Amino acid sequence: MKSDAPLPLPGDGAAPEVLVLARVVAGLRAEIAELKGDGGTTCAPGPSPAPPRAAGVRDDPAGGEGAGAETVQRILDVLSGTAILLTPVRAPSGEVEDFRIDAAAPDAVDVAGRRGADLIGLRVLETYPTVVGTPLWKGYLDTLATGTAYGGEPFTYEEVVAGLPRRSVFSVRATRLGDGLVVSWIRHDDGEREARRLADMQRLGNLGWSVWDLMADTVSWSEQVYAVFDREPAKGPLRLQDLPRHVEPGDAPRMSTAVRRLLEEGEAVDQPFRIAASDGLRHLRLVAEAQKDADGTPVEVHGFFQDLTAQRGTELALMESERSVLVHRGMLQAEHALAARLQDTLLPVPEQSLELAGLCVDVAYVPSDSGLNVGGDWYSAIGLPDESALFVVGDVAGHGLAAVGTMAQLRFTTKGMTITGSALPDVLRRLNALLLHSVSESTGAPVTSGATATMVMARYQPWDRRLNWVRAGHLPPLLVRGGEAGFLPQPQGSLLGAAADSVYGQSVIDLLPGDHLLFYTDGLVEDPGEDIEAGLARLADLTLRLLEDGRGGRLARSLAALHPGHRDDICVLDVHVPGDP
């Protein structure tokens, strides 16, 4: 195999670490080429020739010639792909009784999800006991003894994690490096697992993905889109231009306008519409955005269709039920009841504990005690397709049906745009535009909604414990770490629906074991006649006392319960990273 640069030879003054780098890079290139089957050079069986050594270089038990595991780790840190350094653990007799992982590339991940630095220090047989006696184990020992590179057939490995079996198919390569082994592998079932998860998500959410290639004039639909449209797959997908002809006549003009904006101006759309199906009238929704070329011309459209028939049926049933109440109890009481029922339908369980992306999440939602006014506080805590987690807490200004309707619009639109992969600042920017410019249901023309809302949104990545978060005029999250409580520095972001030129920034924080991160609405800290800073300080002190009393497992519910007689809704979401600090 050719290398990108000449390798140093003895007498060239090359440092030992340079020789180790050359050997590891060359070995990994050969392994990756053979694993991928891309035509890499295949050596004949037999011991691998030792590379040239510079004067003074010795065989180091840590795995590298003239350099230890730290040197190899520095090399692996800059390489892409999966690779680890195994050091043999020998019995007093000199026989290899196990291998220890002494270095690992950042992209290396095992069947249990341990990644990079989490692998270092593990022993092979202690961590993966079913490997013993397999061709893989024998291949390791043979490579260590003879220097012949190992490249076995794909094999199935099963490990029980949290009581559930996880089975994966791997191809493994091993090459000797000094008295150790450099091992790389490919996991063949990743794509299949992700496809299953995506299919399950689409089925459970009754939505399906679509891609329109405008340059090639091709359309791709996921299987669930055909189910949403009640359309035979043999008929193929619909072009965007043809979509208005397949909706109910009353919705066709608005759909035509939305499609034209999308195709001609590249403007993102979130358009409800109805179609006739074999089981009756269906209420659907299209959410799509365009990818543009350098000239700003849309060249590809990504989006999804969602079946909202059941939700719409619930809303219509509630509205029909409340019409009779209007006659007996008056308009104000009927509006309150309808808004409260819609709020209960749209919001998740008011009190619950969740496990998302390795986090313990405690949630509390308590409506106000102010009588007829129903507020617009809301939250969302869901897992995303890439196994990260989304946390959102929002507060719509005002009360009643208008606030609940705006809350529902923000909640569903936020989840839809985040699932499609939109960046968090872009989600806030589009939500701001949504509140500034709604569409009249009677005329289809843009109107100003007049609604405003605050919101804080965060996406947690379990693989590196990193949390990206944004805000729109909302109060700052409270971080409790090491017995101290403090509010996170806030990125730029004004409330939604206030100004068309609002700019939304993003902040990043790495969470640590033992951390508690609290998201909340202003009902938890605001008292009439009191400065907001006093309310925030009270929240920080109260949170520390509750944790000291051992009430961290129900922190959100404990905080909400300590505010009786509140005049505004209270929504609290506690995100806890398990483990000792």
Side-chain angles (χ1 to χ4, degrees):
M1 173 181 296
K2 290 184 178 180
S3 58
D4 296 331
L7 299 181
L9 298 174
D12 291 344
E17 293 188 5
V18 176
L19 292 175
V20 174
L21 172 60
R23 173 173 289 186
V24 174
V25 171
L28 287 178
R29 286 175 177 164
E31 292 179 18
I32 293 171
E34 293 200 22
L35 283 172
K36 293 183 176 179
D38 60 359
T41 303
T42 303
C43 299
S48 300
R53 301 186 184 181
V57 175
R58 60 181 178 85
D59 288 338
D60 193 319
E65 291 188 354
E70 293 183 1
T71 301
V72 177
Q73 183 62 60
R74 289 199 298 271
I75 298 169
L76 295 183
D77 284 340
V78 299
L79 296 178
S80 61
T82 59
I84 57 175
L85 173 68
L86 295 181
T87 299
V89 179
R90 299 183 182 273
S93 63
E95 181 181 0
V96 176
E97 61 181 11
D98 205 341
F99 285 93
R100 183 181 63 250
I101 302 176
D102 279 347
D107 292 338
V109 59
D110 69 0
V111 69
R114 293 173 286 247
R115 179 182 298 273
D118 296 333
L119 298 170
I120 297 176
L122 300 180
R123 293 196 177 190
V124 172
L125 295 186
E126 290 181 358
T127 310
Y128 318 103
T130 58
V131 169
V132 65
T134 63
L136 174 65
W137 179 254
K138 296 176 182 177
Y140 283 173
L141 297 178
D142 182 66
T143 297
L144 186 65
T146 67
T148 303
Y150 169 75
E153 296 294 327
F155 71 98
T156 300
Y157 178 80
E158 181 174 306
E159 179 172 329
V160 177
V161 180
L164 297 174
R166 294 186 180 180
R167 181 175 298 172
S168 296
V169 179
F170 293 90
S171 291
V172 178
R173 288 272 301 173
T175 302
R176 188 172 69 183
L177 178 67
D179 191 34
L181 299 177
V182 174
V183 177
S184 61
W185 65 89
I186 287 180
R187 187 171 181 174
H188 296 288
D189 59 328
D190 272 345
E192 178 184 347
R193 292 169 68 246
E194 292 301 325
R196 287 200 305 268
R197 289 173 181 166
L198 182 59
D200 289 343
M201 184 196 68
Q202 293 183 78
R203 176 177 52 82
L204 294 173
N206 207 3
L207 56 85
W209 307 97
S210 302
V211 177
W212 293 270
D213 189 331
L214 306 182
M215 303 303 294
D217 196 21
T218 58
V219 186
S220 297
W221 275 9
S222 66
E223 293 183 7
Q224 192 63 27
V225 180
Y226 291 99
V228 168
F229 269 83
D230 193 24
R231 182 178 176 86
E232 290 293 333
K235 295 182 179 180
L238 295 173
R239 299 193 312 161
L240 272 175
Q241 300 90 321
D242 300 333
L243 191 57
R245 297 203 302 269
H246 294 266
V247 306
E248 282 294 289
D251 297 337
R254 278 175 284 175
M255 179 58 73
S256 297
T257 301
V259 170
R260 184 171 60 254
R261 293 201 313 266
L262 183 61
L263 295 179
E264 295 179 0
E265 304 171 16
E267 181 179 340
V269 300
D270 186 345
Q271 182 66 41
F273 62 97
R274 297 167 297 168
I275 64 169
S278 58
D279 56 354
L281 197 65
R282 290 190 179 183
H283 294 263
L284 307 184
R285 174 191 182 201
L286 168 64
V287 177
E289 60 183 7
Q291 303 292 322
K292 304 177 184 179
D293 61 14
D295 298 326
T297 302
V299 295
E300 192 169 270
V301 174
H302 300 167
F304 66 85
F305 292 100
Q306 186 176 20
D307 188 347
L308 302 176
T309 305
Q311 174 188 326
R312 182 59 175 166
T314 301
E315 294 174 357
L316 292 176
L318 289 171
M319 293 175 65
E320 185 64 28
S321 174
E322 291 307 320
R323 286 174 184 170
S324 61
V325 180
L326 293 175
V327 178
H328 302 288
R329 298 186 181 180
M331 180 69 73
L332 185 59
Q333 290 179 331
E335 180 178 334
H336 170 265
L338 178 58
R341 292 188 183 181
L342 283 174
Q343 187 181 53
D344 292 340
T345 302
L346 296 170
L347 279 179
V349 180
E351 291 188 359
Q352 60 179 327
S353 295
L354 305 170
E355 290 186 9
L356 288 175
L359 300 173
C360 298
V361 183
D362 187 47
V363 178
Y365 175 81
V366 183
S368 68
D369 294 334
S370 56
L372 295 177
N373 287 329
V374 177
D377 288 21
W378 62 281
Y379 76 92
S380 187
I382 61 171
L384 297 177
D386 63 351
E387 300 187 3
S388 61
L390 175 69
F391 303 106
V392 190
V393 170
D395 186 0
V396 177
H399 297 83
L401 277 175
V404 174
T406 302
M407 176 269 288
Q409 190 177 35
L410 291 176
R411 184 169 181 267
F412 288 122
T413 305
T414 298
K415 292 169 66 175
M417 286 192 292
T418 308
I419 288 175
T420 58
S422 298
L424 299 187
D426 291 339
V427 174
L428 290 185
R429 179 174 52 81
R430 291 169 184 168
L431 292 177
N432 183 57
L434 179 67
L435 293 190
L436 285 172
H437 304 291
S438 298
V439 176
S440 170
E441 291 192 4
S442 58
T443 65
V447 297
T448 301
S449 67
T452 59
T454 67
M455 185 170 154
V456 60
M457 177 168 49
R459 176 175 176 266
Y460 174 75
Q461 302 172 174
W463 51 88
D464 57 4
R465 290 179 178 167
R466 178 153 294 179
L467 184 120
N468 297 276
W469 70 283
V470 294
R471 60 176 284 273
H474 205 84
L475 295 171
L478 175 66
L479 176 65
V480 181
R481 174 180 293 173
E484 297 183 356
F487 295 94
L488 298 183
Q490 302 187 74
Q492 184 177 5
S494 57
L495 77 165
L496 302 174
D501 58 351
S502 296
V503 177
Y504 299 97
Q506 177 173 276
S507 289
V508 178
I509 181 174
D510 292 334
L511 297 184
L512 302 178
D515 284 355
H516 282 266
L517 188 61
L518 207 66
F519 302 92
Y520 53 92
T521 55
D522 54 13
L524 189 65
V525 295
E526 286 187 347
D527 280 338
E530 181 184 63
D531 185 76
I532 187 64
E533 296 298 330
L536 293 174
R538 183 173 60 252
L539 172 62
D541 293 339
L542 184 58
T543 301
L544 287 176
R545 289 204 301 271
L546 289 173
L547 291 175
E548 290 172 357
D549 293 341
R551 299 166 69 178
R554 296 170 58 91
L555 181 59
R557 281 170 276 186
S558 299
L559 288 169
L562 292 175
H563 289 75
H566 51 89
R567 303 204 294 182
D568 198 359
D569 292 0
I570 292 177
C571 184
V572 190
L573 193 152
D574 171 47
V575 175
H576 172 53
V577 184
D580 295 330

